[in-house]
């Protein structure tokens, strides 16, 4: 081995430190460039490490060059520069460690960790400065600095390398980077060992060329990092493809199968059932009034409800063949072990009961109900779409009542469903073309023997069929979910009439409007009524809202809280068609209403049935005892009027007094009242009970 004099050794050391510095600075710039594209935090942190390591190596190159010219003069300031170089090196190590943590945990380190890195580096630099200060020669100072540099860097990079090797994936890139850090740490341990076991010319060669080995290892780390990024991009693309394939067959929100996947699975189920003499049952589970749920607890809350429904169906004690979400609030489940129609019905009811169990969402308790539509193989078809369509028709039938039930598909439902589908565009066009009209039927007060208000009754002026009664179109409105839109039109039309009467007569006779069930099941109705007051300038006592008995009894918690708020605002609330639904007289004391409207079916049989007279008498007495007024509708004869008057009925309505009439005829009716010096009553219905 050739001998090295001091000048040659310092020249080699200066050159290797300079090359290493340029290499590190170039590596740092390259990492920063990659960070601008990939936005990986570990790239930015490792670029900071390179920008700290590079200047530390430049300082060492400067010290070596100065010692070549005048070693003794270099001694006077070498300790301070060596301390700065070590401080920068410690800072670089902390950035490497933070970058390794960011790569392993795939997260950005907290800001305070950066402050910890700065403080630790400065503290290490101060300790190193005092460690180097007592040196009496440049060679001694360099030896002390080398000990600190190789020891601290070796321990840190070895630990970081082991940490990354164990925690990162099995890709070539991460392993190569981890191996690079490990290699630098092991190399530093060998250098430290050589500093204490090797002397003379061999130690000079070891110290002079160890930096070249570091450059080679850093180059390997750079290659590994590039491979890592390419692997990461490939893995990201593969995951995106896998995610796309998953979403093609699964619902993104709930994770269950989607409609396409269900359609592709059903033929397999059918083939299995055919081969094993089994029957396939397809149940569509539709959440009733899910729009109300979204309005009450928000869309995110509604999403949580859907996830919980999917979870309950997947974990149902009779494990289904599959669970799928085929539309917004409709799920499908399939079973292959059921033949008995009664057993299928019982299982569907059990599913309804499971879904009806309370759901806790953001400290709120949500109660939902669901209808179930059922189709079967081979009874109802042998194709996927056919079985799903027939179950959809059955589900539509099940949702027609206020309490959805489990419904089997039956022959003839297709025609009703097809007619319903055909009616939707026709009804929407009728709304947009203002084909609906509001008719008004007078209501009379017995005590004062005068007009006390009107009931708003809707009619359809069909362009081809003429004037149609509600019986001919309201069922379609309800089944198509257009009730809320029609109710909004009725409310606006009634408010417009009241505003017109205020200008025309200087006073208003109240109008009663019958609203559908969905209106009373969420607080949006309150906002609508407030808007009507502001837009039309009407008073709350001019509008009376009617709710059917079935609706009142089916949702006492949500619906009645809305009604209570409307009563507090001053609106009159009446129970319409009382006696035809639940007939829950005991609920009357808790319902926030002020008027009961007796159904015409009781009135029509008054002259022939003593039972009806007895029932009406009990109804009227109970209502009066609870501070509520009673109005009877459907009065057609004087005898009916006389009986009801003797029973104590407060108000009456029917063809005996007047049929429903157009607005202009109602205004003529009002003018006759005014000419008779009769003004609108302030009915007790408006007063708090």
């Amino acid at each position: 081995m050739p001998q090295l004099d001091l000048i040659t050794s310092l020249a080699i050391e200066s050159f290797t430190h300079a090359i290493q510095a340029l290499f590190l600075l170039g590596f740092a710039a390259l990492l920063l460039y990659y960070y601008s594209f990939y936005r990986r935090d570990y790239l930015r942190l490792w670029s900071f490490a390179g920008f700290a390591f590079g200047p530390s190596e430049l300082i060492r190159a400067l010290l070596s060059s100065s010692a070549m010219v005048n070693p003794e003069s270099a001694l006077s300031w070498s300790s301070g520069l060596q301390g700065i170089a070590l401080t920068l090196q410690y800072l670089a190590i902390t950035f490497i460690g933070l970058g390794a943590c960011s790569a392993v945990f795939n997260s950005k380190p907290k800001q305070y960790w950066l402050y910890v890195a700065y403080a630790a580096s400065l503290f290490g630099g101060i300790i190193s400065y005092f460690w180097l200060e007592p040196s009496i020669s440049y060679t001694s100072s360099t030896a002390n600095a080398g000990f600190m540099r190789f020891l601290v860097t070796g321990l840190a990079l070895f630990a970081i390398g082991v940490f990354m090797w164990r925690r990162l994936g099995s890709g070539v890139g991460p392993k190569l980077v981890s191996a690079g850090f490990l290699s630098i740490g092991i190399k530093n341990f060998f250098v430290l060992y050589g500093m204490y076991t090797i002397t003379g010319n061999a130690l000079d060669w070891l110290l002079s060329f160890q930096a070249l080995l570091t450059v080679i290892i850093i180059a390997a780390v750079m290659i590994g990092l590039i491979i890592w990024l390419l692997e990461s991009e490939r893995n990201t693309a593969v995951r995106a493809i896998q995610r796309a394939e998953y979403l093609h067959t699964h619902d993104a929100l709930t994770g269950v199968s989607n409609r396409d996947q269900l359609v592709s699975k059903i033929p397999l189920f059918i083939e299995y059932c055919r081969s094993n003499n089994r029957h396939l049952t397809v149940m569509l589970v539709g959440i009733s009034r899910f729009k109300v749920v979204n309005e009450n607890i928000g869309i995110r809350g509604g999403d949580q409800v859907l996830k919980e429904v999917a979870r309950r169906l997947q974990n149902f004690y009779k494990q289904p063949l599959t669970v799928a979400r085929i539309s917004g609030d409709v799920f499908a489940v399939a079973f292959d072990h059921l033949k008995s129609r009664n057993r299928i019905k019982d299982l569907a009811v059990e599913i309804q009961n499971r879904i009806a169990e309370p759901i806790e969402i953001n400290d709120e308790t949500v109660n939902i109900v669901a209808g179930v539509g059922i189709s079967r193989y081979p009874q109802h078809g042998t194709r996927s779409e056919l079985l799903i369509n027939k179950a959809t028709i059955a589900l539509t039938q099940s949702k027609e009542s206020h309490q959805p039930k489990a419904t089997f598909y039956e022959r003839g439902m297709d025609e009703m469903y097809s007619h319903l589908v055909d009616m939707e565009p026709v009804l929407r066009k009728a709304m947009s073309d203002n084909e609906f009209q509001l008719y008004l039927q007078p209501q009379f007060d017995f005590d004062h023997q005068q007009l006390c208000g009107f009931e708003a009754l809707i009619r359809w002026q069909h362009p081809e069929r003429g004037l149609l009664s509600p019986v001919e179109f309201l069922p379609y409105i309800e089944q198509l979910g257009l009730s809320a839109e029609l109710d909004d039109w009725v409310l606006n039309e009634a408010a417009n009439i009241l505003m017109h009467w205020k200008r025309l007569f200087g006073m208003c006779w109240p109008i009663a409007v019958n609203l559908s069930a969905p209106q009373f099941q969420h607080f949006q109705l309150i906002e609508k009524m407030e808007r009507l007051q502001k837009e039309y300038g009407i008073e709350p006592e001019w509008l009376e809202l009617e709710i059917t008995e079935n609706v009142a009894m089916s949702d006492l918690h949500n619906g009645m809280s809305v009604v209570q708020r409307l009563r507090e605002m001053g609106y009159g609330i009446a129970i319409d068609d009382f006696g035809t639904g639940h007939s829950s007289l005991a609920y009357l004391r808790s319902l926030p209403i002020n008027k009961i409207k007796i159904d015409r079916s009781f009135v029509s049989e008054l002259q022939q049935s003593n039972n009806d007279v007895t029932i009406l008498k009990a109804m009227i007495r109970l209502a009066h005892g609870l501070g509520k007024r009673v109005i009877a509708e459907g009065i057609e004869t004087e005898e009916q009027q006389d009986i009801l008057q003797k029973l104590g009925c407060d108000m009456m309505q029917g063809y005996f007094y007047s049929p429903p009439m157009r607005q202009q005829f109602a205004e003529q009716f009002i003018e006759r009242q005014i000419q008779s010096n009769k003004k609108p009553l302030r009915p007790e219905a408006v007063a708090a009970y």
Side-chain angles (χ1 to χ4, degrees):
M1 181 179 293
Q3 295 292 324
L4 290 175
D5 57 27
L6 178 61
I7 299 300
T8 304
S9 178
L10 289 173
I12 294 174
E13 186 177 348
S14 299
F15 176 75
T16 55
H17 281 309
I19 291 296
Q20 190 172 345
L22 294 175
F23 208 86
L24 286 167
L25 290 172
F27 186 34
L30 182 64
L31 288 174
L32 208 56
Y33 173 76
Y34 282 148
Y35 172 74
S36 65
F37 283 95
Y38 293 100
R39 312 306 296 181
R40 308 285 170 80
D41 289 303
Y42 64 84
L43 296 176
R44 183 169 61 95
L45 292 166
W46 286 347
S47 72
F48 292 164
F51 284 126
F53 250 134
S56 71
E57 291 300 313
L58 282 177
I59 290 173
R60 293 189 180 95
L62 175 64
L63 289 173
S64 300
S65 301
S66 300
M68 288 171 56
V69 179
N70 190 346
E72 297 303 325
S73 64
L75 178 64
S76 61
W77 41 275
S78 65
S79 296
L81 288 179
Q82 288 282 13
I84 294 173
L86 285 172
T87 300
L88 291 172
Q89 186 168 326
Y90 298 153
L91 182 62
I93 291 171
T94 57
F95 278 129
I96 291 174
L98 290 174
C101 292
S102 177
V104 168
F105 300 114
N106 195 28
S107 63
K108 183 178 181 180
K110 303 294 185 182
Q111 187 67 29
Y112 62 80
W113 282 115
L114 296 177
Y115 298 136
V116 171
Y118 301 148
S121 304
L122 182 61
F123 183 71
I126 293 173
I127 293 177
S128 300
Y129 176 79
F130 287 106
W131 173 270
L132 299 171
E133 188 64 31
S135 301
I136 59 175
S137 68
Y138 175 78
T139 304
S140 175
S141 176
T142 302
N144 289 338
F147 175 80
M148 296 293 292
R149 175 161 60 101
F150 292 125
L151 177 63
V152 175
T153 304
L155 288 173
L157 291 182
F158 184 82
I160 292 170
V162 171
F163 172 68
M164 292 179 61
W165 184 276
R166 296 183 61 182
R167 297 299 295 271
L168 288 175
S170 58
V172 175
K175 293 300 184 186
L176 196 55
V177 173
S178 304
F181 291 144
L182 277 169
S183 299
I184 294 177
I186 294 171
K187 184 266 298 180
N188 284 4
F189 294 153
F190 276 112
V191 172
L192 283 173
Y193 178 77
M195 290 174 65
Y196 288 96
T197 58
I198 302 175
T199 58
N201 194 48
L203 179 60
D204 292 337
W205 280 103
L206 175 65
L207 294 175
S208 298
F209 289 99
Q210 61 85 23
L212 293 178
L213 181 59
T214 302
V215 171
I216 295 172
I217 295 174
I218 292 174
V221 171
M222 291 177 64
I223 295 172
L225 195 58
I226 293 172
I227 295 173
W228 187 353
L229 293 174
L230 292 176
E231 287 179 335
S232 177
E233 285 296 298
R234 185 197 64 188
N235 292 338
T236 300
V238 170
R239 284 195 296 271
I241 294 172
Q242 291 174 339
R243 179 63 177 169
E245 291 176 350
Y246 176 84
L247 292 178
H248 182 68
T249 57
H250 290 77
D251 176 54
L253 176 65
T254 62
V256 300
S257 299
N258 59 15
R259 186 187 183 96
D260 291 340
Q261 179 77 337
L262 177 67
V263 170
S264 64
K265 283 183 176 180
I266 288 179
L268 302 178
F269 299 151
I270 289 176
E271 180 60 27
Y272 173 79
C273 290
R274 186 189 63 79
S275 303
N276 294 274
N277 193 28
R278 286 174 170 257
H279 289 204
L280 178 67
T281 302
V282 177
M283 297 184 184
L284 295 192
V285 182
I287 302 174
S288 181
R289 301 190 297 274
F290 185 68
K291 182 181 178 182
V292 177
V293 176
N294 276 334
E295 290 173 350
N296 288 339
I297 64 174
I299 294 177
R300 290 186 178 180
D303 289 345
Q304 293 301 314
V305 170
L306 292 173
K307 289 180 180 179
E308 177 61 18
V309 171
R311 188 191 68 80
R312 291 181 180 183
L313 292 175
Q314 286 178 300
N315 297 322
F316 191 61
Y317 80 99
K318 289 291 186 182
Q319 189 67 36
L321 293 173
T322 187
V323 176
R325 183 184 176 208
I326 64 173
S327 66
D329 58 3
V330 178
F331 292 83
V333 290
F335 299 93
D336 68 345
H337 64 287
L338 305 170
K339 287 188 178 182
S340 168
R341 186 182 176 95
N342 290 334
R343 183 68 189 94
I344 294 173
K345 184 71 172 288
D346 292 341
L347 188 63
V349 172
E350 290 176 18
I351 289 176
Q352 286 182 298
N353 294 337
R354 180 72 179 96
I355 291 175
E357 293 175 4
I359 301 174
E360 298 295 331
I361 303 292
N362 300 327
D363 299 327
E364 288 189 43
T365 300
V366 180
N367 294 287
I368 60 174
V369 293
V372 179
I374 306 169
S375 65
R376 305 170 67 191
Y377 162 84
Q379 291 88 339
H380 300 142
T382 59
R383 293 184 294 108
S384 299
E385 288 292 351
L386 192 59
L387 289 173
I388 294 174
N389 288 343
K390 292 187 182 301
T392 301
I393 293 171
L395 178 62
T396 302
Q397 287 288 111
S398 77
K399 286 187 172 183
E400 285 187 8
S401 61
H402 294 300
Q403 291 295 327
K405 53 188 178 180
T407 304
F408 285 90
Y409 169 80
E410 303 288 353
R411 289 183 179 180
M413 287 184 178
D414 304 74
E415 290 76 10
M416 292 186 293
Y417 184 74
S418 299
H419 185 55
L420 185 64
V421 172
D422 294 338
M423 282 294 294
E424 182 171 5
V426 176
L427 289 169
R428 290 191 179 278
K429 183 177 183 300
M431 288 183 184
S432 62
D433 293 350
N434 293 318
E435 294 177 7
F436 291 109
Q437 296 180 3
L438 211 58
Y439 275 57
L440 302 172
Q441 186 171 31
Q443 297 174 336
F444 291 89
D445 185 277
F446 266 149
D447 294 335
H448 298 84
Q449 292 295 305
Q450 72 172 71
L451 176 72
C452 62
F454 296 88
E455 181 182 9
L457 301 170
I458 193 168
R459 299 290 186 268
W460 182 6
Q461 188 63 51
H462 196 282
E464 299 174 358
R465 299 172 57 192
L467 192 67
L468 302 181
S469 68
V471 177
E472 299 182 71
F473 61 87
L474 278 186
Y476 301 114
I477 293 282
E478 294 173 358
Q479 292 174 41
L480 290 168
L482 302 176
S483 298
E485 296 179 37
L486 187 62
D487 287 345
D488 290 344
W489 180 86
V490 172
L491 284 171
N492 281 281
E493 189 69 14
N496 187 53
I497 292 173
L498 290 168
M499 181 180 66
H500 175 68
W501 287 353
K502 179 66 175 177
R503 293 173 181 171
L504 183 63
F505 304 117
M507 61 189 76
C508 286
W509 273 259
I511 296 178
V513 176
N514 195 316
L515 298 183
S516 59
Q519 291 283 12
F520 284 97
Q521 290 160 350
H522 52 79
F523 285 88
Q524 191 175 6
L525 178 59
I526 297 171
E527 299 174 3
K528 290 179 182 178
M529 302 312 295
E530 291 175 341
R531 178 184 57 79
L532 283 177
Q533 284 182 236
K534 294 178 181 178
E535 185 174 344
Y536 293 96
I538 63 174
E539 299 295 332
E541 59 264 27
W542 298 349
L543 264 179
E544 181 178 83
L545 306 178
E546 295 184 355
I547 180 173
T548 62
E549 181 186 359
N550 283 336
V551 175
M553 302 305 167
S554 64
D555 197 352
L556 284 172
H557 177 69
N558 292 329
M560 291 303 101
S561 60
V562 174
V563 174
Q564 180 63 50
R565 180 71 184 96
L566 292 171
R567 289 285 289 117
E568 293 170 356
M569 293 169 63
Y571 289 98
I573 308 294
I575 290 290
D576 192 18
D577 299 336
F578 191 80
T580 61
H582 293 74
S583 298
S584 303
L585 298 177
Y587 283 117
L588 283 177
R589 61 182 178 180
S590 60
L591 292 175
I593 60 171
N594 53 282
K595 187 184 296 183
I596 294 173
K597 197 169 188 181
I598 297 173
D599 186 68
R600 65 180 66 247
S601 61
F602 289 96
V603 176
S604 62
E605 301 294 331
L606 277 178
Q607 296 157 272
Q608 291 81 27
S609 174
N610 290 328
N611 289 335
D612 284 347
V613 173
T614 303
I615 292 172
L616 283 178
K617 185 176 181 179
M619 284 183 181
I620 293 170
R621 285 185 176 180
L622 178 61
H624 286 169
L626 295 172
K628 306 176 192 301
R629 304 194 79 208
V630 179
I631 179 172
E633 62 178 349
I635 299 174
E636 298 181 356
T637 67
E638 186 175 357
E639 289 79 4
Q640 292 171 348
Q641 173 192 262
D642 294 340
I643 294 173
L644 287 166
Q645 189 170 11
K646 290 177 182 179
L647 292 175
C649 188
D650 303 294
M651 303 165 62
M652 296 193 183
Q653 171 185 342
Y655 275 76
F656 176 69
Y657 304 100
S658 171
M661 58 185 70
R662 294 177 182 269
Q663 179 183 340
Q664 59 267 34
F665 298 118
E667 290 170 359
Q668 293 174 10
F669 210 98
I670 291 174
E671 288 174 354
R672 290 197 293 271
Q673 292 285 309
I674 295 175
Q675 290 171 3
S676 301
N677 199 28
K678 293 181 179 179
K679 296 182 180 180
L681 300 172
R682 290 190 60 84
E684 294 84 354
V686 182
Y689 59 88

